[in-house]
Amino acid sequence: MRRQDISTAVDPLGWRLILGTLITHVPVDSLRAAVRVADGAVNAADADAVTGHLGVELCDDRVVLRLQDRSTGTITDHDLRLAGRITGALSDAGWVTVPGDAAITPQVFEIAVDALDIASVRPFWRAITGYVDLPDATDLPAGALVDPLGRGPTIWFQQMDSPRPQRNRIHLDVDVPPERAAARIEAALAAGGRLVSDAAAPAFWVLADAEGNEACICTWQGRD
């Protein structure tokens, strides 16, 4: 499924496609309200329909909903249908699904490890983090590792052709909705960073701090 088609389908519903996951926020004014929203989201479809697809995070000011086929690590037609059903059910109950707000942007972090011999370093990272293998997915290279609790950033491994002792070997990828990328980049530059490369934009921009440590601002665009 093309990323553009997924985005076109869910953007009007207040969901955003971020690194193979659909994410939306539902503003609330209390944890009790958050529980009611979570119940409404789960009951928007039968239990079998949401199992293995819907993730819910409760806060006292918002509920974060995530949709993905966790068996494959991808977005399916079923997830698109669930997004519509959940948004509709919550709307009927007076709740709204929104793509974050000015203060908090829905995002996904990744840690990229550059390696000459991925097979030799991957077991270390799997062991030290307690992470598990990621199902074969379209948005990450094969061999990526994920937090089994779904909380920590994904770890993936970038193949190097030769040693690069002059630069960092681990960097952060910060995946955001396309409409939030420019503001995040501007904030990083204003905070003392510099733009290293925009050659791959809008898929990603490479930035660095004052000492050259790199991070990328990423979106789904330019990847189909």
Side-chain angles (χ1 to χ4, degrees):
M1 190 181 306
R2 293 178 64 248
R3 296 170 181 84
Q4 181 62 67
D5 294 337
I6 296 171
S7 181
T8 298
V10 302
D11 279 8
L13 301 174
W15 296 74
R16 289 296 183 269
L17 171 63
I18 306 176
L19 191 65
T21 304
L22 302 183
I23 303 178
T24 192
H25 291 190
V26 183
V28 298
D29 57 11
S30 68
L31 278 175
R32 290 187 183 278
V35 171
R36 293 196 296 272
V37 168
D39 187 61
V42 171
N43 290 328
D46 61 65
D48 289 340
V50 298
T51 299
H53 291 265
L54 177 63
V56 181
E57 180 180 347
L58 276 62
C59 307
D60 60 6
D61 66 340
R62 73 192 61 228
V63 177
V64 181
L65 302 175
R66 296 179 176 87
L67 282 170
Q68 180 193 68
D69 185 334
R70 289 197 295 274
S71 67
T72 63
T74 60
I75 303 299
T76 65
D77 287 335
H78 182 69
D79 297 296
L80 299 184
R81 290 191 293 271
L82 281 176
R85 293 179 66 172
I86 290 170
T87 293
L90 293 179
S91 178
D92 291 344
W95 308 104
V96 60
T97 50
V98 297
D101 53 41
I104 301 177
T105 296
Q107 62 186 14
V108 175
F109 275 19
E110 307 166 74
I111 297 174
V113 179
D114 294 344
L116 288 170
D117 185 354
I118 292 174
S120 69
V121 302
R122 185 178 179 277
F124 167 83
W125 289 99
R126 192 180 193 280
I128 200 169
T129 60
Y131 273 28
V132 297
D133 298 337
L134 178 72
D136 290 338
T138 58
D139 284 345
L140 283 171
L145 302 172
V146 293
D147 180 354
L149 297 178
R151 299 284 298 174
T154 299
I155 299 174
W156 65 279
F157 301 88
Q158 182 167 267
Q159 182 66 57
M160 292 197 307
D161 297 325
S162 60
R164 289 197 295 245
Q166 77 280 7
R167 52 166 287 186
N168 58 299
R169 297 277 297 274
I170 297 177
H171 71 270
L172 290 182
D173 286 345
V174 183
D175 295 80
V176 299
E179 71 270 19
R180 303 291 182 93
R184 188 64 64 90
I185 292 167
E186 290 172 5
L189 297 177
R194 62 183 176 88
L195 179 65
V196 176
S197 174
D198 60 1
F204 62 89
W205 292 257
V206 183
L207 296 100
D209 67 15
E211 295 192 358
N213 300 301
E214 295 179 359
C216 297
I217 298 296
C218 311
T219 78
W220 65 260
Q221 292 181 332
R223 299 174 184 268
D224 281 321

